Amino acid sequence: QISRLNLTDTQTRELMGLMQATHHMESIGDLIEVNMVQLGMQRMRQNVTVSAETEKVLTTLHQVVSQSVMDSLKAVTELDRPAAERVIRMKYDLKKLVEEAMRHQTKRLTAEEGNRVNTFAVEMDIIDKLQRIYYHSRRISKNTIKILDGEAPTATSE
């Protein structure tokens, strides 16, 4: 109904940004509801045990990604530039954390523990899904910056 109104250019950009944010939030929800839940179920089925060290690595990565989701929501709902910029700047920190997690996983793959291949696969999938959640948070924040700068939000990745 809103899109049928006679909107100003600014209102149109904001509406487009909210529609894009909704799309990205839905994708985040799907990643959590479908993929992460499946990984949890797979972990139980395959009797995968996460080591304390691996849990620490994954928890740190999860905390950063969770903060990116919260900040991207704040950015788009309040048109909060500093929140959007924080999410965008997280890219390099997240990349470092993922690289650390990958190095850790590579070392763990050679550990003398049973079920190592299944454990490696589940843990790598968790890392991948967390990266994808961050991607969507970053897209929300980038589009928020575009709205604030008077540009049209985009659906494409940059």
Side-chain angles (χ1 to χ4, degrees), residues 11-72:
Q11 290 170 326
T12 299
R13 283 190 300 275
E14 286 183 30
L15 176 61
M16 288 172 55
L18 288 171
M19 289 171 49
Q20 286 299 319
T22 301
H23 164 75
H24 289 293
M25 288 307 299
E26 184 176 342
S27 295
I28 289 170
D30 288 345
L31 282 163
I32 294 167
E33 182 181 14
V34 176
N35 301 105
M36 296 296 266
V37 169
Q38 275 183 345
L39 286 169
M41 300 298 285
Q42 180 181 348
R43 180 178 167 226
M44 289 188 294
R45 276 192 316 274
Q46 295 177 347
N47 199 28
V48 167
T49 304
V50 177
S51 71
E53 189 178 346
T54 299
E55 184 176 345
K56 182 181 171 188
V57 168
L58 294 176
T59 298
T60 301
L61 189 57
H62 176 264
Q63 289 169 341
V64 170
V65 171
S66 293
Q67 187 61 53
S68 79
V69 172
M70 298 305 292
D71 282 347
S72 67

Side-chain angles (χ1 to χ4, degrees), residues 6-153:
N6 191 13
L7 302 175
T8 66
D9 288 344
T10 300
Q11 290 170 326
T12 299
R13 283 190 300 275
E14 286 183 30
L15 176 61
M16 288 172 55
L18 288 171
M19 289 171 49
Q20 286 299 319
T22 301
H23 164 75
H24 289 293
M25 288 307 299
E26 184 176 342
S27 295
I28 289 170
D30 288 345
L31 282 163
I32 294 167
E33 182 181 14
V34 176
N35 301 105
M36 296 296 266
V37 169
Q38 275 183 345
L39 286 169
M41 300 298 285
Q42 180 181 348
R43 180 178 167 226
M44 289 188 294
R45 276 192 316 274
Q46 295 177 347
N47 199 28
V48 167
T49 304
V50 177
S51 71
E53 189 178 346
T54 299
E55 184 176 345
K56 182 181 171 188
V57 168
L58 294 176
T59 298
T60 301
L61 189 57
H62 176 264
Q63 289 169 341
V64 170
V65 171
S66 293
Q67 187 61 53
S68 79
V69 172
M70 298 305 292
D71 282 347
S72 67
L73 284 174
K74 180 176 175 44
V76 74
T77 58
E78 300 175 21
L79 292 178
D80 184 327
R81 183 182 293 270
E85 290 172 345
R86 276 193 307 273
V87 174
I88 293 166
R89 282 192 312 266
M90 283 180 187
K91 178 180 180 178
Y92 301 103
D93 291 336
L94 187 81
K95 186 176 181 179
K96 284 180 188 177
L97 284 172
V98 168
E99 287 171 0
E100 286 175 30
M102 300 289 238
R103 277 193 297 278
H104 173 77
Q105 287 304 105
T106 302
K107 283 192 280 185
R108 296 280 303 142
L109 185 58
T110 61
E112 293 295 324
E113 296 174 16
N115 209 19
R116 201 55 232 142
V117 173
N118 287 336
T119 301
F120 177 82
V122 168
E123 291 169 353
M124 290 302 292
D125 278 347
I126 291 170
I127 293 167
D128 176 64
K129 300 312 179 255
L130 288 170
Q131 280 183 282
R132 289 177 55 197
I133 290 169
Y134 171 73
Y135 164 82
H136 291 290
S137 295
R138 190 163 186 261
R139 291 300 314 144
I140 292 168
S141 295
K142 284 184 142 196
N143 277 333
T144 300
I145 296 290
K146 286 185 176 204
I147 291 166
L148 290 166
D149 289 345
E151 300 173 27

